[in-house]
Amino acid sequence: MKTKLFYLLLLFESMTFAQISGNQVFSTNTNKSYGKQNGTSIGNTISINDNHLTMQVKVLLNEKADSFTLVIGTNQEAQTVAECNNLINKRIDGFINDIQKLKIKKENIYIDFISQTKVYDYTVGENQADEFQKGFEIKKNIIITSNQSASIEQIITTASKFEIYDIITVEYRNNDVLEKHTFLFEEAIKIADSKKDLYLKTFGKRIVGTPNASEDFSIFFPKTQYKKYQAFDTSEIETNYRNSNQNFIKKMTRKNTTYYYEGVESDAIDIVFNQSASEIGIQYVLTLTITYKLDTSL
């Protein structure tokens, strides 16, 4: 009976502490997240001695972007520069006319001329290959600003109608970064005061003079916060060429690569604002370090 009870307890314990890690465990990304190193939280340090009380406060804000800047690349080849420029402009003009139906204003679209180069090819004979100039290639980037995240996918779909496929980058922007900083600074001061009062009361100390303070304000954009992994197990093949007169060819199957967003680690953060926001946006982290001088006469 005791044996059965023991195994039931083990089963209950394993069910209680079970968790799902997901396929991200296959990740080999070695980038360190902010505030965490080798699985151990760092920062948020507090130290006190006879002379000084030093504390560190970290606060994080998750914020949706106010606008997005999308950069799309396109190119065109033709035998002459005039023909090349005419063809690429025709495609770009058609694309711009279509996306204006998505309420994208023309003043929010800019065409950036990137390059104009000669294109070369070869004529191949039986024993000789001769290089010749085939024509020209022009590359231009289309820069579009929008305040609607839902419009980005529609813009990309519209671009494909005009054989424009190169999505170079999507930049996230907030209009009031200084306001974000002020908000986080004021919240960090509140937390620092609370911690200070607790430690002074606990250790019977009193502050004298003016404290010394320093801060670090960091902004993390989504493009720097993505990781990747490939989830698969594979077999190994060994061959002995010395015992075979045939060539050996090993064909590898294409494995899917998964990318996922992983924002700033919150383990070393005192408070996270908009923690439950599901939309990927911009992360602001403010670290405030304050050192108070203590009254040594007590």
Side-chain angles (χ1 to χ4, degrees):
M1 185 66 182
K2 289 183 178 179
T3 303
K4 290 183 179 180
L5 180 60
F6 175 72
Y7 282 116
L8 284 172
L9 288 172
L10 285 179
L11 177 61
F12 177 75
E13 183 178 359
S14 65
M15 293 173 62
T16 304
F17 294 98
Q19 65 175 1
I20 300 174
S21 62
N23 285 341
Q24 67 171 349
V25 297
F26 283 87
S27 173
T28 56
N29 198 308
T30 57
N31 290 338
K32 294 184 177 67
S33 298
Y34 182 91
K36 199 167 189 179
Q37 183 176 9
N38 298 329
T40 304
S41 296
I42 58 176
N44 287 23
T45 56
I46 298 179
S47 63
I48 186 170
N49 54 39
D50 289 337
N51 299 312
H52 297 94
L53 167 63
T54 300
M55 64 179 60
Q56 189 177 76
V57 175
K58 293 183 181 179
V59 288
L60 184 153
L61 171 65
N62 294 311
E63 195 67 73
K64 294 192 298 183
D66 297 315
S67 64
F68 305 84
T69 300
L70 177 66
V71 181
I72 304 176
T74 184
N75 67 299
Q76 180 69 55
E77 291 186 19
Q79 290 186 343
T80 66
V81 172
E83 182 185 5
C84 196
N85 206 38
N86 180 61
L87 289 172
I88 195 171
N89 286 341
K90 186 176 180 180
R91 290 164 55 207
I92 292 174
D93 290 343
F95 169 61
I96 291 175
N97 288 334
D98 272 18
I99 64 173
Q100 285 182 291
K101 300 173 186 176
L102 303 175
K103 298 182 179 180
I104 304 296
K105 297 179 181 179
K106 198 165 186 178
E107 55 264 32
N108 292 333
I109 305 170
Y110 177 76
I111 308 302
D112 186 16
F113 188 98
I114 300 301
S115 65
Q116 174 185 297
T117 56
K118 294 180 179 179
V119 178
Y120 293 88
D121 203 346
Y122 288 90
T123 55
V124 181
E126 185 175 350
N127 298 312
Q128 182 175 330
D130 296 320
E131 187 179 32
F132 69 96
Q133 183 184 331
K134 183 180 179 180
F136 296 87
E137 180 185 43
I138 290 178
K139 293 183 179 181
K140 294 185 179 183
N141 288 346
I142 309 167
I143 304 172
I144 305 164
T145 300
S146 173
N147 57 9
Q148 299 293 330
S149 59
S151 66
I152 294 178
E153 189 170 342
Q154 294 174 301
I155 292 171
I156 293 172
T157 301
T158 304
S160 66
K161 291 171 52 180
F162 299 90
E163 299 181 359
I164 301 173
Y165 308 111
D166 188 7
I167 311 304
I168 297 173
T169 184
V170 178
E171 300 289 346
Y172 289 59
R173 294 284 183 268
N174 277 137
N175 300 327
D176 49 1
V177 176
L178 181 59
E179 183 179 312
K180 314 297 183 193
H181 170 269
T182 301
F183 169 75
L184 289 177
F185 182 83
E186 291 175 347
E187 293 299 325
I189 288 293
K190 293 177 185 178
I191 297 172
D193 284 340
S194 177
K195 289 184 176 182
K196 175 199 66 177
D197 293 342
L198 175 63
Y199 272 74
L200 293 178
K201 179 180 178 181
T202 302
F203 294 98
K205 297 291 185 178
R206 185 168 63 88
I207 291 175
V208 293
T210 303
N212 293 322
S214 63
E215 68 161 279
D216 177 74
F217 182 59
S218 302
I219 305 176
F220 297 86
F221 295 98
K223 66 181 180 181
T224 64
Q225 300 299 99
Y226 279 87
K227 294 185 179 181
K228 68 177 181 178
Y229 69 84
Q230 286 184 302
F232 63 89
D233 288 319
T234 186
S235 302
E236 292 293 333
I237 296 177
E238 291 186 6
T239 180
N240 190 343
Y241 286 101
R242 295 180 181 178
N243 297 330
S244 174
N245 295 323
Q246 297 180 347
N247 292 327
F248 175 77
I249 298 176
K250 181 179 179 181
K251 182 179 179 181
M252 304 294 293
T253 302
R254 184 172 64 90
K255 279 83 173 179
N256 183 52
T257 300
T258 299
Y259 293 85
Y260 66 97
Y261 174 80
E262 184 172 272
V264 173
E265 292 279 1
S266 60
D267 293 17
I269 305 294
D270 288 281
I271 187 169
V272 179
F273 298 96
N274 297 337
Q275 186 170 18
S276 60
S278 58
E279 181 177 339
I280 293 174
I282 304 171
Q283 293 187 295
Y284 298 88
V285 178
L286 187 140
T287 303
L288 180 65
T289 304
I290 305 179
T291 299
Y292 301 92
K293 187 176 180 180
L294 301 179
D295 187 352
T296 57
S297 64
L298 297 178

